[in-house]
Amino acid sequence: MNEYEVFIEDINSCGGEQYAKKELIEVEADSPESYVKANGRLPILDISENAHGDTVIITGDGHGNFVRYTFTA
């Protein structure tokens, strides 16, 4: 198991990023993808890496609602 600090941004279609619900948590998981598959409520749309080397996973419902998870090891 690996330890991650996860920044979660819940972005809805009405408010956009400006009004996103934000949360910072610490988790133990085999990988960021396995954590989101087990605990996320929306299907994974994209997995990428940001400029700092953090894993960024975006989930969404196809109707403007997204959850962005940023995993820092």
Side-chain angles (χ1 to χ4, degrees):
M1 288 277 194
N2 298 310
E3 290 186 22
Y4 299 97
E5 193 171 80
V6 186
F7 183 56
I8 303 171
E9 300 167 274
D10 194 340
I11 305 163
N12 68 43
S13 60
C14 296
E17 287 190 47
Q18 179 180 346
Y19 297 104
K21 196 168 94 178
K22 300 174 183 178
E23 178 181 13
L24 184 64
I25 61 172
E26 291 184 15
V27 302
E28 284 188 14
D30 291 328
S31 70
E33 187 175 355
S34 68
Y35 176 81
V36 173
K37 283 183 178 180
N39 297 286
R41 59 181 170 78
L42 300 170
I44 293 174
L45 300 176
D46 184 54
I47 300 173
S48 61
E49 197 172 282
N50 67 15
H52 301 290
D54 303 326
T55 301
V56 179
I57 298 178
I58 298 174
T59 65
D61 65 2
H63 299 288
N65 298 305
F66 297 93
V67 180
R68 180 172 39 222
Y69 300 84
T70 303
F71 288 81
T72 303

